[in-house]
Amino acid sequence: MVQPAGDIGFAQRVKALACTAPLHDLDNRKGQVQSADFSVYQMSELALNAIDLVTLAMDFDAGAAPEQIVVGLTTFVARQAPDRDAAEHARVARWILENLLNVGSTDRGFRAVYGMTAGDGTYSRFAFDFKLLEEVVGADGEIFLRATNEAVNVLVGALEIDIESAQIAADLRLDTLIRRGRLSDAQAAAQAARYRTIQYGEKLRQHLEATERDVRTVDWLNEMPQFIAEAIEHIEARYKAENAILVNITEVRDTADTEVRKSQAARLVFVVRDCLRRHEQLQAALQGAGRRFRAQQDRQTFVPGSTNASLDLHAQLLVPALTLPIEPADRVLAAFFARSTGPFVPRALRLIDLFTALVTPPAERETLGGEIEEPELDDIIEEPAFPVECYELLEELLDLDVEAPRRLSGLLQEARTLHPQLAGLVIVRVVALVAQEINSAVRHGLPSVFIAVDDGTPLDDPEYGGADLIVACAAIEPVAVA
């Protein structure tokens, strides 16, 4: 049954409110704490700080250490009530963390009930189960914290939005804010872009964990290859966008005229570089995803299936045997184990396998290996940096008399009247003349050589800066050797 678009949007908004409900509930329940007065603390703000700390501390393969999060969250708690002691600050931090984990519930999750109206006008209720933080066991047995997809959506203020589209929009908004110099807003946009990057990695990690549990629960025939291809394309596009953004931020940082703007730009550089680092982790995980699937497929294929016991060992064997004397109980147990273990057949080489291996001739192999096909290479024609007519006009423009040098500013002004791209070619040619050596011209007996000299006059040009060089055709006079 197709639901109206308005009802679907309404359900998404209800889910968005449901994800923030546990945070608001902290402020409602802080007055119920009997052993301390928590009324001075803004619990929902501290809960957002906790989710933020966990999200930024976790990597693709590892989560955030709980004690590390408690220490970091204690800093935010202390800012709200600096007159309270450090022990209370740490206790508030642990209380918030336990409530975000929903310690004490059966599955440590939250549930919200919402309704949708179908096309025929009937109203149906649905249960939305979600978690904000969850505990996972690391490879070494330690407990780590991870932020769920719903928790990241709380940070960026959205729910069930396509990750790729949201990332592109965030990059475009970030680049626009940087170009306009609004660094405070750009920092918030950069942090939202980083959350989207983390969310993309979490989606891949969940698929891989589900594959390790049971390869049949993940569609590796159609869904996962398409997901991996889209993720690689996503990384390629983000690398280009974020490297371009990083260049703009670095330029703003280096040319900032105040310490505040320089500090804001420096923080932006750190956030974008962290995004690039997380992209590298995601790329490495994507490259190894197929290998991990094949390994899990091989492992799970040869795992023996579980069999249901047809005998209740406790009620039908152990309890009656304990009521018997030793000798009758020994006969009963011996008869059971003799029949339950079955006969033991040692492994032995079969004659047919040995005969097949001996009579099978070895496969013939080429001495030099297989033939290598010559690749078909296309000729790449490099287009010149400037149009061909610009080079012809440059020769005419630099056809100077020995006694008539010219300024670079005059050459640029005349070049713009001849061709719109000629000015750039003039700059390239004249800058090369600054390092011109006349020794080669003297050895070949040339009568003159082009040079460019800086006499300290600044260049007054709307497009280029630097020195207004003197461009001249200098005559070479031979010197008699005594």
Side-chain angles (χ1 to χ4, degrees):
M1 181 180 297
V2 180
Q3 299 291 344
D7 288 343
I8 296 176
F10 178 78
Q12 290 179 349
R13 292 193 295 272
V14 172
K15 290 181 180 180
L17 290 175
C19 290
T20 61
L23 278 64
H24 299 296
D25 188 54
L26 294 177
D27 285 314
N28 297 331
R29 292 192 294 107
K30 64 183 179 182
Q32 302 176 5
V33 179
Q34 302 294 332
S35 57
D37 180 18
F38 288 174
S39 60
V40 69
Y41 300 103
Q42 299 295 328
M43 295 300 184
S44 57
E45 298 177 7
L46 295 175
L48 278 176
N49 291 326
I51 296 175
D52 196 10
L53 290 173
V54 174
T55 304
L56 297 181
M58 68 183 189
D59 282 330
F60 183 81
D61 296 321
E67 292 302 323
Q68 177 186 356
I69 301 303
V70 170
V71 172
L73 186 58
T74 302
T75 304
F76 293 98
V77 177
R79 293 174 184 174
Q80 293 191 2
D83 54 331
R84 302 291 180 91
D85 56 9
E88 180 176 310
H89 296 158
R91 184 180 176 187
V92 172
R94 294 184 183 278
W95 185 79
I96 293 175
L97 205 59
E98 290 177 356
N99 281 273
L100 290 178
L101 289 168
N102 204 10
V103 175
S105 61
T106 304
D107 58 350
R108 295 198 172 186
F110 301 96
R111 167 170 288 194
V113 178
Y114 68 98
M116 291 182 64
T117 303
D120 55 358
T122 59
Y123 183 81
S124 303
R125 289 181 173 84
F126 302 90
F128 172 50
D129 295 313
F130 67 95
K131 294 181 180 180
L132 295 177
L133 299 181
E134 57 182 354
E135 293 179 328
V136 295
V137 181
D140 52 357
E142 296 185 8
I143 301 297
F144 293 98
L145 300 178
R146 297 195 71 91
T148 63
N149 185 54
E150 289 78 13
V152 178
N153 279 323
V154 169
L155 292 177
V156 298
L159 186 76
E160 294 185 350
I161 295 178
D162 178 67
I163 300 173
E164 180 71 12
S165 302
Q167 184 72 58
I168 294 174
D171 285 342
L172 180 60
R173 178 169 178 262
L174 175 59
D175 186 49
T176 303
L177 291 173
I178 292 172
R179 293 181 183 275
R180 295 181 179 179
R182 297 170 58 182
L183 297 185
S184 298
D185 296 336
Q187 183 176 353
Q191 291 173 344
R194 178 167 58 176
Y195 293 143
R196 286 300 178 192
T197 301
I198 296 172
Q199 198 172 21
Y200 213 101
E202 276 298 291
K203 187 175 181 180
L204 175 63
R205 186 187 64 84
Q206 292 171 4
H207 284 309
L208 294 178
E209 285 187 353
T211 301
E212 291 178 358
R213 292 190 294 268
D214 190 352
V215 294
R216 296 170 296 181
T217 61
V218 182
D219 182 9
W220 280 92
L221 183 61
N222 298 311
E223 180 182 353
M224 282 304 295
Q226 181 181 359
F227 173 80
I228 293 175
E230 292 175 355
I232 293 176
E233 183 179 356
H234 157 85
I235 292 175
E236 181 181 359
R238 298 288 73 73
Y239 266 129
K240 294 179 181 178
E242 289 167 359
N243 276 299
I245 293 172
L246 186 60
V247 172
N248 293 334
I249 301 174
T250 305
E251 182 179 356
V252 172
R253 181 194 63 186
D254 297 339
T255 59
D257 52 355
T258 62
E259 289 296 325
V260 175
R261 288 181 60 82
K262 188 179 290 292
S263 177
Q264 289 176 340
R267 288 195 294 269
L268 275 172
V269 170
F270 172 80
V271 172
V272 176
R273 284 179 176 171
D274 186 57
C275 287
L276 292 173
R277 179 185 64 84
R278 292 181 183 274
H279 282 317
E280 293 176 356
Q281 291 182 343
L282 180 59
Q283 183 180 12
L286 289 170
Q287 291 175 344
R291 183 176 64 254
R292 293 177 63 175
F293 161 68
R294 290 187 293 270
Q296 292 300 323
Q297 187 181 39
D298 294 341
R299 180 184 67 84
Q300 297 178 27
T301 299
F302 298 103
V303 170
S306 59
T307 57
N308 297 325
S310 58
L311 175 66
D312 187 354
L313 295 179
H314 182 270
Q316 298 180 8
L317 180 65
L318 179 60
V319 174
L322 291 176
T323 60
L324 296 175
I326 295 179
E327 186 177 354
D330 181 72
R331 290 197 301 268
V332 171
L333 295 176
F336 169 76
F337 285 106
R339 289 164 175 78
S340 62
T341 55
F344 176 74
V345 180
R347 299 185 60 184
L349 179 64
R350 297 189 305 170
L351 181 59
I352 187 174
D353 295 333
L354 179 59
F355 176 77
T356 303
L358 292 176
V359 301
T360 301
E364 296 183 0
R365 301 176 58 184
E366 293 288 343
T367 306
L368 300 179
E371 182 180 359
I372 299 178
E373 298 181 358
E374 290 293 336
E376 296 181 1
L377 303 178
D378 295 333
D379 295 333
I380 300 178
I381 301 176
E382 295 185 0
E383 297 183 359
F386 299 93
V388 178
E389 58 267 21
C390 286
Y391 294 93
E392 298 176 356
L393 294 174
L394 179 66
E395 295 296 331
E396 298 177 3
L397 189 62
L398 295 182
D399 188 13
L400 306 176
D401 295 333
V402 175
E403 299 179 355
R406 297 189 60 179
R407 288 282 184 182
L408 175 59
S409 56
L411 293 174
L412 292 176
Q413 185 177 2
E414 183 178 353
R416 291 189 176 96
T417 62
L418 299 176
H419 196 279
Q421 300 185 30
L422 184 56
L425 184 58
V426 170
I427 287 291
V428 174
R429 178 62 176 144
V430 171
V431 171
L433 293 178
V434 176
Q436 179 78 7
E437 295 185 0
I438 65 174
N439 293 333
S440 177
V442 172
R443 287 195 304 269
H444 290 82
L446 299 179
S448 62
V449 65
F450 279 102
I451 60 173
V453 181
D454 181 11
D455 64 345
T457 303
L459 177 61
D460 185 11
D461 188 85
E463 189 175 359
Y464 302 101
D468 195 359
L469 302 174
I470 300 175
V471 184
C473 180
I476 300 177
E477 298 180 357
V479 179
V481 180

